[in-house]
Amino acid sequence: MIQLSRLCAGYFGRPAIREVTMEFLPGKVTVLLGPNGSGKSTLLKAALGLLPVMSGEVLYDGADIRQMKPRQIARKAALLAQSRNIPSIQSLRMVLHGRFPYLTYPKRYGGKDYAIAHSAMEATGSRQHENTNVSQLSGGQRQGVYLAMALAQDTQTVFMDEPTTYLDIRRQFQTMEIARSLAGEGKAVVLVLHDICLALREADRIAVFQEGRLLCLDQPEAVRKSGILEEVFQVGVYPVQTPHGTQYYCVPGQNQFPESGFCNGLRKT
């Protein structure tokens, strides 16, 4: 399990996240919500050792990340990044990069690596593109290949930074189904999303950030009822009961009647 304790991290000596304490629980989908620039992507990078810790701690099963080698980290946590270069490489070869942390000398992929890569591409609906150059794929198709690469890494924690970007509605549902499936396997799944309604519907826990600080971490309905989403995003968030369960919608302006003022046992600020 990955735990953050009073974590501060940022760029050029300036913190972008401040005093963040939280943990990513196995078997749970945790969604990070917050306005642009609130520190969500920075938190993922710091949790993966891609940004140095300014203060506080990042612990992997109790071990300080600063004492771990990159290969050790890569065997425990994978990242589907928000923005990536578009390499000129066959899709299957791209997905096989997820197996790199497990290779030993002479660093050649074996049958197990190919089997895991093919399985990951099947799961993301990208197997049909395995012989296609990544640069020739659409944005949504590339997203499937990159997600397959993260799955092929076969880690206990999977971070996804805006995984539904570029995706049509069907593929958005598929991506969330994959996230739920991974959690069902006992993995900790952490997603950065901008879709409040999608987060409320699919997450086990929601963490709300603003200006680099964690304001709230709780179950989706508790977060909604606290009124913190209205305060941070300046929108009203409302539930509606449907034959498919509770759905949500947002409207401009704050809900003037939040159902409570508490989130995770703390009064919202």
Side-chain angles (χ1 to χ4, degrees):
M1 183 170 65
I2 299 177
Q3 298 169 295
L4 313 180
S5 177
R6 303 190 69 178
L7 177 65
C8 294
Y11 308 89
F12 308 109
R14 300 181 61 182
I17 54 172
R18 301 173 177 84
E19 298 286 323
V20 175
T21 296
M22 64 183 302
E23 57 189 15
F24 304 121
L25 299 177
K28 301 293 183 181
V29 174
T30 301
V31 171
L32 312 186
L33 288 178
N36 291 329
S38 59
K40 305 180 299 296
S41 297
T42 299
L43 183 141
L44 298 192
K45 293 176 183 177
L48 283 157
L50 302 177
L51 280 178
V53 174
M54 292 180 175
S55 62
E57 293 180 315
V58 177
L59 302 177
Y60 278 60
D61 298 323
D64 193 315
I65 195 174
R66 287 169 289 197
Q67 307 302 318
M68 298 173 63
K69 297 179 179 179
R71 181 178 293 250
Q72 293 175 300
I73 297 170
R75 289 184 176 186
K76 290 181 175 290
L79 171 67
L80 174 64
Q82 177 183 4
S83 58
R84 300 166 295 272
N85 295 325
I86 304 175
S88 181
I89 186 175
Q90 183 193 55
S91 294
L92 176 58
R93 302 300 298 182
M94 189 78 240
V95 174
L96 281 167
H97 284 184
R99 302 300 303 159
F100 195 79
Y102 301 96
L103 298 185
T104 56
Y105 185 82
K107 298 190 182 300
R108 293 176 181 171
Y109 299 114
K112 179 180 178 180
D113 300 309
Y114 279 95
I116 291 175
H118 284 144
S119 178
M121 297 188 83
E122 289 281 1
T124 62
S126 55
R127 181 72 186 271
Q128 61 186 313
H129 306 302
E130 68 173 63
N131 295 316
T132 305
N133 195 293
V134 174
S135 63
Q136 297 173 355
L137 299 176
S138 69
Q141 291 168 341
R142 284 197 300 271
Q143 189 79 335
V145 170
Y146 285 115
L147 178 53
M149 181 174 65
L151 298 187
Q153 204 167 321
D154 193 24
T155 58
Q156 281 301 111
T157 302
V158 180
F159 294 105
M160 303 184 195
D161 195 352
E162 298 190 34
T164 56
T165 301
Y166 308 121
L167 301 184
D168 59 42
I169 187 65
R170 181 178 65 87
R171 287 185 177 272
Q172 289 181 31
F173 283 130
Q174 288 177 340
T175 299
M176 297 311 299
E177 287 174 3
I178 290 170
R180 297 259 23 128
S181 176
L182 292 171
E185 296 171 9
K187 298 179 185 292
V189 183
V190 186
L191 300 91
V192 171
L193 295 177
H194 282 291
D195 189 329
I196 295 173
C197 300
L198 184 63
L200 287 169
R201 190 173 67 241
E202 300 291 347
D204 294 307
R205 305 190 309 159
I206 291 177
V208 182
F209 288 82
Q210 187 175 45
E211 296 180 351
R213 297 190 181 277
L214 174 61
L215 301 185
C216 176
L217 174 62
D218 213 329
Q219 297 178 353
E221 191 62 9
V223 172
R224 185 191 69 80
K225 288 182 177 180
S226 74
I228 195 72
L229 297 174
E230 286 87 344
E231 180 176 309
V232 170
F233 293 99
Q234 299 296 297
V235 296
V237 184
Y238 302 91
V240 59
Q241 300 303 319
T242 78
H244 303 286
T246 304
Q247 305 295 319
Y248 300 89
Y249 67 95
C250 299
V251 297
Q254 288 182 266
N255 177 4
Q256 297 302 308
F257 304 100
E259 296 172 50
S260 73
F262 296 86
C263 178
N264 202 26
L266 299 176
R267 181 75 181 178
K268 71 183 180 69
T269 57

